[in-house]
Amino acid sequence: MASNFVEELKWRGMLHDAMPGTEEHLLSGMQSAYVGIDPTADSLHIGHLVAAMMLRHFQLAGHKPYALIGGATGMIGDPSGKSAERNLLDEATLRHNQEAIKEQLSRFLDFKSDAKNAAVLVNNYDWMKTFSFLDFIRDVGKHITVNYMMAKDSVKKRLSAEAKEGMSFTEFTYQLVQGYDFLHLYQNHNCTLQMGGSDQWGNITTGTELIRRIGGGKGYALTCPLITKADGTKFGKTESGNVWLDAERTSPYKFYQYWLNTSDVDAEKYIKIFTFLSREEIEALIAEHNEAPHLRVLQKKLAEEITVMVHSKQDLDNAIAASGILFGKSTSDDLKKLDEKTFLDVFDGVPQATVSKSSITAGLDIIGALASETGFLASNGEARRALKQNAIAVNKEKVTEDYTIKETDLINDKFVLLQKGKRNYYVLVVG
């Protein structure tokens, strides 16, 4: 007997709306459901995590999850919540993106086992590419009226007075294409439920309508809330853009830091959505956090759980060690363990100066490194005073006026970290 998937979503704050009868349908035995994923990049970002978590909870409840890569719909563009059309992709790019996305989803879903509810990845391009325009408008389009399509919020918003650019016919037909996906999966995979963000309700219910009118059956819809931040800024965005699951796009250190810097209000919400901790564990953590908020127990646990899930335990350990470099007691050895990307992430925004390799090979005196060669300090005199006050460190270790920077000081054969006092950093880049 399947466990109660809908109940699980409810207490986690992951249920926005569900069509009547959905919960009873899921409790009647193993069912299949899908979530559509946009393949416009070769990595998911944390905005996609809710969909991945929903599919995982669905599989844990004993059901069969389908991840649908929107190869065909990615060539069109979804009007929901958008103010303009998106870039369209060629097939080779879509296939590359599909493989990369499947690899990331496999950290959440079991695709490989021989269990009856093993996850399946499908691409709607595979069944849409042979569909002629005439076939589509004859076999699908005639079943849905323009009045029905115009009544959708996503269409209304784009046709409103504020939306000056209007809406292309291509985008207008999007809900029919997405609706046909649901019908296709219903007819070929016995898929009876489509899940997505609350902005997808209109597109999903178009699918249930096609199942009723063409398939003569019953489809169900379930949506989760769109994730927001308490301060009104956009979830999943930083100054440098999206927070990606791909370590090359967003390093595990920056990924870890994003969750660690979550507000108390958001951390209490996110720990239910983005971890698989039980209700009892989460309630205990919230109680512990409320007793001593300054210890940031919730943020630390959230960041740890999700970094291990998306990356690895080793990446988490490295991220914690890197975090301690700016704010804790760390050594030259700790610095030298950082890879180049993490080093640059940790010291993002710290002033830099380039020095020649030959000057390091010959030995760069500390006065020159602090002042005349770099401008870190205003003058040689200021550099000498700081050194006499024991306020200067090279790679986290205090040095004196007779110190010379050598090749053995290089981090990743490229960097030297200078420091005055506790918080004043400067990076030498060997060019």
Side-chain angles (χ1 to χ4, degrees), residues 188-420:
N188 294 276
H189 298 274
N190 196 30
C191 197
T192 53
L193 173 65
Q194 185 183 166
M195 305 187 291
S198 57
D199 61 336
Q200 291 294 312
W201 184 260
N203 292 333
I204 296 173
T205 51
T206 298
T208 64
E209 194 66 9
L210 285 176
I211 288 170
R212 183 178 73 81
R213 295 186 182 194
I214 300 175
K218 174 77 173 166
Y220 295 88
L222 183 150
T223 59
C224 61
L226 297 179
I227 306 302
T228 56
K229 288 175 75 173
D231 63 4
T233 58
K234 191 167 182 183
F235 168 75
K237 291 279 189 182
T238 65
E239 286 177 14
S240 55
N242 284 322
V243 179
W244 299 92
L245 272 55
D246 183 345
E248 292 302 312
R249 288 172 176 253
T250 299
S251 69
Y253 166 76
K254 276 202 166 176
F255 185 86
Y256 172 78
Q257 283 291 323
Y258 179 84
W259 300 102
L260 196 64
N261 291 324
T262 303
S263 71
D264 288 353
V265 174
D266 288 334
E268 190 169 324
K269 179 167 74 171
Y270 295 167
I271 201 155
K272 295 172 186 171
I273 298 171
F274 298 111
T275 76
F276 292 102
L277 297 173
S278 70
R279 194 171 192 164
E280 293 72 27
E281 288 173 298
I282 289 172
E283 285 171 356
L285 280 166
I286 291 170
E288 185 183 347
H289 180 89
N290 289 340
E291 283 177 19
H294 64 284
L295 296 178
R296 300 178 72 75
V297 170
L298 273 182
Q299 285 90 338
K300 286 176 183 173
K301 188 64 173 173
L302 171 66
E304 286 169 13
E305 290 285 321
I306 204 160
T307 303
V308 170
M309 187 161 52
V310 169
H311 296 290
S312 69
K313 178 67 166 66
Q314 181 65 52
D315 286 324
L316 169 66
D317 292 342
N318 292 345
I320 291 172
S323 300
I325 284 165
L326 278 180
F327 308 111
K329 292 181 179 177
S330 54
T331 65
S332 175
D333 285 343
D334 294 328
L335 272 177
K336 288 178 179 177
K337 285 176 188 170
L338 297 181
D339 60 82
E340 182 174 335
K341 185 165 178 49
T342 306
F343 179 88
L344 290 171
D345 281 343
V346 171
F347 296 101
D348 186 27
V350 169
Q352 297 182 355
T354 302
V355 294
S356 67
K357 183 72 182 278
S358 57
S359 69
I360 299 291
T361 304
L364 178 61
D365 73 278
I366 190 65
I367 302 288
L370 291 169
S372 58
E373 294 286 328
T374 64
F376 175 26
L377 301 183
S379 66
N380 288 351
E382 185 183 336
R384 287 193 180 90
R385 283 193 296 277
L387 286 159
K388 284 191 171 77
Q389 292 163 359
N390 199 30
I392 300 296
V394 172
N395 294 342
K396 289 293 201 174
E397 293 180 359
K398 291 292 177 66
V399 296
T400 55
E401 199 174 329
D402 58 358
Y403 193 79
T404 303
I405 294 174
K406 305 171 290 297
E407 286 187 67
T408 51
D409 291 312
L410 293 182
I411 300 162
N412 282 298
D413 296 321
K414 194 172 183 180
F415 306 109
V416 178
L417 181 69
L418 304 179
Q419 186 178 355
K420 181 190 175 192

Side-chain angles (χ1 to χ4, degrees), residues 101-117:
I101 289 168
K102 184 176 183 181
E103 179 64 31
Q104 290 179 339
L105 285 174
S106 66
R107 297 193 68 85
F108 299 85
L109 300 172
D110 167 22
F111 285 101
K112 294 180 179 174
S113 80
D114 55 4
K116 284 184 179 178
N117 70 328

Side-chain angles (χ1 to χ4, degrees), residues 16-280:
H16 183 268
D17 209 351
M19 197 172 273
T22 301
E23 187 169 4
E24 293 77 8
H25 173 65
L26 294 177
L27 287 171
S28 67
M30 188 182 87
Q31 308 297 344
S32 296
Y34 85 95
V35 170
I37 294 168
D38 169 24
T40 48
D42 61 358
S43 173
L44 302 173
H45 53 73
I46 61 174
H48 294 107
L49 273 178
V50 181
M53 300 298 279
M54 284 174 81
L55 288 172
R56 178 63 180 150
H57 282 300
F58 193 71
Q59 192 169 41
L60 287 172
H63 301 298
K64 189 173 184 70
Y66 282 76
L68 181 142
I69 300 294
T73 35
M75 290 180 165
I76 298 172
D78 176 7
S80 304
K82 309 289 193 308
S83 57
E85 289 200 41
R86 66 172 59 150
N87 294 329
L88 310 182
L89 305 174
D90 59 57
E91 187 176 356
T93 304
L94 285 166
R95 293 298 181 194
H96 165 74
N97 293 357
Q98 173 183 323
E99 288 309 306
I101 289 168
K102 184 176 183 181
E103 179 64 31
Q104 290 179 339
L105 285 174
S106 66
R107 297 193 68 85
F108 299 85
L109 300 172
D110 167 22
F111 285 101
K112 294 180 179 174
S113 80
D114 55 4
K116 284 184 179 178
N117 70 328
V120 179
L121 186 108
V122 292
N123 188 329
N124 63 6
Y125 184 71
D126 293 332
W127 57 82
M128 291 304 298
K129 64 183 176 185
T130 54
F131 230 140
S132 76
F133 177 68
L134 290 175
D135 286 343
F136 190 78
I137 58 174
R138 182 193 66 200
D139 298 341
V140 180
K142 73 176 185 183
H143 293 280
I144 300 291
T145 67
V146 170
N147 307 51
Y148 179 88
M149 294 171 74
M150 295 281 283
K152 302 292 185 182
D153 285 343
S154 59
V155 175
K156 280 190 201 167
K157 283 175 187 167
R158 285 295 294 274
L159 295 178
S160 67
E162 298 88 57
K164 296 184 180 67
E165 65 289 302
M167 184 181 196
S168 70
F169 173 75
T170 306
E171 283 189 296
F172 182 59
T173 58
Y174 183 93
Q175 62 173 289
L176 280 181
V177 179
Q178 185 172 328
Y180 181 75
D181 287 341
F182 197 177
L183 174 64
H184 176 89
L185 291 177
Y186 174 81
Q187 292 177 324
N188 294 276
H189 298 274
N190 196 30
C191 197
T192 53
L193 173 65
Q194 185 183 166
M195 305 187 291
S198 57
D199 61 336
Q200 291 294 312
W201 184 260
N203 292 333
I204 296 173
T205 51
T206 298
T208 64
E209 194 66 9
L210 285 176
I211 288 170
R212 183 178 73 81
R213 295 186 182 194
I214 300 175
K218 174 77 173 166
Y220 295 88
L222 183 150
T223 59
C224 61
L226 297 179
I227 306 302
T228 56
K229 288 175 75 173
D231 63 4
T233 58
K234 191 167 182 183
F235 168 75
K237 291 279 189 182
T238 65
E239 286 177 14
S240 55
N242 284 322
V243 179
W244 299 92
L245 272 55
D246 183 345
E248 292 302 312
R249 288 172 176 253
T250 299
S251 69
Y253 166 76
K254 276 202 166 176
F255 185 86
Y256 172 78
Q257 283 291 323
Y258 179 84
W259 300 102
L260 196 64
N261 291 324
T262 303
S263 71
D264 288 353
V265 174
D266 288 334
E268 190 169 324
K269 179 167 74 171
Y270 295 167
I271 201 155
K272 295 172 186 171
I273 298 171
F274 298 111
T275 76
F276 292 102
L277 297 173
S278 70
R279 194 171 192 164
E280 293 72 27

